[in-house]
Amino acid sequence: MLPDRKSTAIMNTSPEYTFSDYVAALRRRRGVFLMVAGIIMAIAATLSWLLPDQYTSAARIDINLEGSNVQMLEPIELTAYADQYIADMRDRALTYDNLVILARDTESFPEHIASLSESDRMEMIQNSIDVSVLTQAVISPNSGREVDVISGIRVASVASDPNFAYQVATYVSQLLLDQDRQSRTEMAT
């Protein structure tokens, strides 16, 4: 049985939209789009004006684990070894005695920070330091799978004054490098 004309007309009632229909719909809603964009821009401008500036000074220290004993370790063991090495180095380098030297050096800091008490400067230094582990994806020679291996350390200082952030990051990086050098010298002897 063939469908009659009435049922064919009912099946094809879905409208087809053209590009000009979409442009016309956007024109009709232009005010809504502009209002939403204006509100978003006003919020962004207010936040950027009200929030304090934050400066980050960072250094990357690569770890070169070499030696015959290290070559025999699996990547997971190597990562654990490097993680422990970094934690020990950080604990030995970032002692109170080492950081108080920087806190006492008031000439290295801007006037508004140098005028603070030594304990306040020490607290600012400790709160601004961020030491994190850097990893790199490698293919394990034994399993053929991709694993993350620790490749270095990122030392950063985040502060509202760029000079303060730079001074702290530079000092802490040097402390960690000196501690690394001392550890390697002790291992060699």
Side-chain angles (χ1 to χ4, degrees):
M1 180 164 169
L2 292 173
D4 62 352
R5 288 183 192 208
K6 205 180 220 183
S7 63
T8 306
I10 292 174
M11 286 192 285
N12 293 332
T13 58
S14 62
E16 292 186 23
Y17 295 109
T18 63
F19 181 72
S20 61
D21 294 330
Y22 290 112
V23 171
L26 289 175
R27 281 189 186 144
R28 286 191 305 269
R29 305 287 187 251
R30 179 180 20 202
V32 174
F33 289 129
L34 291 176
M35 184 178 67
V36 170
I39 290 171
I40 291 172
M41 289 178 67
I43 290 171
T46 303
L47 285 176
S48 69
W49 185 66
L50 292 177
L51 294 177
D53 294 333
Q54 290 292 311
Y55 299 93
T56 302
S57 181
R60 177 188 170 120
I61 302 172
D62 291 328
I63 295 178
N64 186 7
L65 299 172
E66 295 179 347
S68 58
N69 292 338
V70 173
Q71 291 175 354
M72 294 185 306
L73 295 173
E74 289 285 325
I76 293 173
E77 293 169 341
L78 185 63
T79 299
Y81 169 73
D83 196 26
Q84 182 64 39
Y85 179 76
I86 291 168
D88 289 345
M89 188 171 62
R90 180 178 45 219
D91 291 344
R92 284 182 280 167
L94 300 180
T95 62
Y96 178 84
D97 293 336
N98 285 342
L99 294 178
V100 80
I101 294 169
L102 179 62
R104 288 181 180 153
D105 183 16
T106 58
E107 293 181 13
S108 297
F109 299 115
E111 187 177 321
H112 69 280
I113 294 174
S115 64
L116 297 173
S117 69
E118 183 179 299
S119 62
D120 288 342
R121 284 193 307 273
M122 185 68 173
E123 185 178 341
M124 282 182 69
I125 291 168
Q126 289 173 330
N127 290 338
S128 75
I129 296 173
D130 177 37
V131 179
S132 56
V133 176
L134 298 173
T135 60
Q136 183 175 1
V138 297
I139 303 296
S140 171
N142 298 333
S143 67
R145 294 184 309 188
E146 186 176 289
V147 294
D148 286 336
V149 176
I150 294 175
S151 62
I153 308 168
R154 179 182 183 267
V155 180
S157 175
V158 179
S160 60
D161 184 87
N163 194 23
F164 177 80
Y166 173 76
Q167 293 292 340
V168 172
T170 302
Y171 184 76
V172 170
S173 298
Q174 191 59 52
L175 284 175
L176 290 170
L177 286 171
D178 292 345
Q179 187 59 49
D180 179 54
R181 190 176 302 115
Q182 181 182 351
S183 296
R184 289 177 188 270
T185 303
E186 289 171 0
M187 284 187 229
T189 58

